Amino acid sequence: MKNLVLPGFGKFVIVDDKKVTEADLGVNFFVTLDSLGKSRAQVVTENLVELNPANVVGDFLEKDPKFVIENVPEFFDNYNYIIAAQLDSTTVQKLAQLCWAKNKVLILVRSYGFLGYVRVISSNIEGKVVFF
C-alpha cells in the first residue's frame, strides 16, 4: 500500500474490523505500541495518508471484509481496483465473482512467511481502489 500512496495513487479505503494486537507490531510497519487496541483500519489509514497528504485521500471501514462482500455488494460500485490480502479461499471466490460481474480489477495478495503470490483478475484498469 505504501508503494501506491507514495506516488499519489489518489483515493483508497481500508476495510478491516480487527483491532491492533501485539502480533501486528511485528509484521505491520504502520502500527506502533500506542496503537494497541485501536482500530487497525483507522491507524493504518492515518499513517499511510501521512506519507503523501497532498495527493492521497484515505478512508477506512471498520467492517469484516466477509460481511461487506456477502451483504453490501454495492460498496464496490465506487471503486475500480479491489486489493484483497490474506482472505480465505471461499471469500476469495465470492469476491472474484462479484468483481468479475461488476467489471472490477481484483488483485489478490497472499503471503506465507517468505513466500507469497499476487494474482490479478479482470481487465478494467482505471479508477479508485479499496484495500482489504
Side-chain angles (χ1 to χ4, degrees):
M1 293 172 54
K2 168 189 67 76
N3 291 333
L4 294 173
V5 169
L6 285 174
F9 191 80
K11 180 179 179 183
F12 69 88
V13 176
I14 296 176
V15 178
D16 186 356
D17 66 332
K18 304 288 190 268
K19 303 292 183 190
V20 176
T21 65
E22 288 185 17
D24 294 318
L25 299 176
V27 297
N28 191 328
F29 181 77
F30 295 100
V31 298
T32 61
L33 190 57
D34 63 329
S35 304
L36 283 174
K38 295 180 182 177
S39 162
R40 189 165 61 186
Q42 181 178 0
V43 169
V44 171
T45 298
E46 290 170 354
N47 288 325
L48 280 167
V49 170
E50 283 183 19
L51 296 174
N52 193 349
N55 299 309
V56 175
V57 175
D59 201 1
F60 62 92
L61 179 62
E62 290 184 69
K63 295 279 186 195
D64 183 348
K66 292 178 189 180
F67 175 84
V68 175
I69 293 164
E70 293 175 4
N71 299 296
V72 195
E74 63 276 6
F75 173 81
F76 299 94
D77 292 347
N78 293 323
Y79 303 97
N80 294 321
Y81 294 95
I82 316 304
I83 301 174
Q86 304 300 102
L87 294 178
D88 63 80
S89 61
T90 302
T91 304
V92 164
Q93 288 176 343
K94 290 177 184 175
L95 181 57
Q97 290 172 350
L98 177 68
C99 289
W100 190 267
K102 292 180 175 284
N103 196 28
K104 308 296 180 181
V105 176
L106 175 59
I107 302 168
L108 300 173
V109 180
R110 183 83 180 175
S111 65
Y112 307 91
F114 290 113
L115 300 175
Y117 68 81
V118 175
R119 184 173 294 160
V120 179
I121 302 169
S122 189
S123 60
N124 183 2
I125 58 169
E126 59 183 85
K128 302 175 221 167
V129 65
V130 60
F131 294 95
F132 281 105

